[in-house]
Amino acid sequence: MQLETKRFIDRSDYEEKNVDRIVELCYEGKCSIELLIHHLHTNFSKNGIRSYIINNLFDTKISELMFYVPEIVYMALRFPESQLEKLVVSLCGKSTEFFLLSSWILDAWSHDLIKKKQMKKSCENISKDCEQKWLSSSSVPEVSKAKNDFYGLLNIIVRNLTAFSLYLKKQDEKKRKNLLKILLRKLNNLITNKRKEADTNQTREAKVLTEGIIVPFSFSSSSSSCLVVGMLEDEVQCFETKKRCPYKVVFECINPDELSTKRINQSLEKIFTISDEEEKEIANF
């Protein structure tokens, strides 16, 4: 098993008394992203060091920032209308993966901040700005349309998958697995129909957005996020907890970097048949 190794920095680099060294370390090229995030968190109230660190983050590769998206988004949320919020919004316009992760984190915080109205409002505003930046980041009409269609489909699939465990909890235990299979067939059909409706002469950027849904997680910083092109209904498993019915779903994925100019495997073009009786089974969901 191969593990990515990082250069270890002396613990003294993290101490408050060494904040002044941050400029020297960055100039020498020895300041890791880990160190930048640490000093940003501990010195956010200090305008000078904060601005210097954020300016360095603007010049950092997005792939190196992905692991720290939760921290970056949280700090932007705590200090709205700051330079850090501009960084988050800017990066959302440059990376679909960064946008999706940021959007999901902000959505989670929004649901958790019901009693903190001001912070909830800031959360919703940042989320809207991120979405608008991502949707408007391309001047090519077909890419803009592909982004709109992709984001709408992704929200439908993710919200259905996350809410279905609560629905299954209320159903008879013997029926749960079959109900989950019906849902996956419906979601698979949505993905396949979007793929079939797409223009065969699309640009590569638009093609990636129409071939499936992007899951913003990758196995290493050098690889792209997974492109989900289907869900395997025969591999589902249902479990049991006090409040819900968790389940396991196996996704069929491809690497977007390896997506050829041809359409993907024809076996994925299948439209699953759903009977009227099966439709009624999950009609109340």
Side-chain angles (χ1 to χ4, degrees), residues 97 204 208 222-227 254-260:
E97 288 87 350
R204 186 187 180 283
V208 169
S222 61
S223 63
S224 297
S225 293
C226 295
L227 182 66
I254 59 174
N255 186 339
D257 295 336
E258 299 173 356
L259 193 64
S260 67

Side-chain angles (χ1 to χ4, degrees), residues 96 99-100 103-104 131 134-135 143-160 187 190-191 194 209-210 212-214:
T96 296
F99 163 66
L100 292 177
S103 177
W104 289 359
E131 181 179 339
W134 180 71
L135 289 172
V143 175
S144 297
K145 182 181 183 307
K147 283 187 172 184
N148 270 294
D149 294 343
F150 162 82
Y151 195 48
L153 177 63
L154 179 65
N155 282 331
I156 290 173
I157 291 175
V158 171
R159 294 185 189 283
N160 271 275
L187 298 181
L190 290 177
I191 296 174
K194 181 169 76 77
L209 294 170
T210 55
I213 59 171
I214 294 174

Side-chain angles (χ1 to χ4, degrees), residues 59-87:
D59 297 328
T60 303
K61 292 180 181 179
I62 295 179
S63 60
E64 295 179 14
L65 293 173
M66 292 300 291
F67 182 78
Y68 300 95
V69 174
E71 289 92 337
I72 294 172
V73 171
Y74 175 68
M75 284 187 277
L77 182 57
R78 282 194 61 198
F79 302 95
E81 300 180 6
S82 65
Q83 193 179 3
L84 190 58
E85 181 182 329
K86 294 178 182 177
L87 171 68

Side-chain angles (χ1 to χ4, degrees), residues 159-171 176 180 183 239 241 243-247 285:
R159 294 185 189 283
N160 271 275
L161 288 175
T162 52
F164 205 66
S165 65
L166 293 173
Y167 174 76
L168 286 179
K169 182 67 176 177
K170 301 174 185 177
Q171 309 307 313
R176 289 174 181 172
L180 182 55
L183 174 69
F239 306 101
T241 66
K243 292 185 177 181
R244 65 187 72 224
C245 175
Y247 55 82
F285 172 61

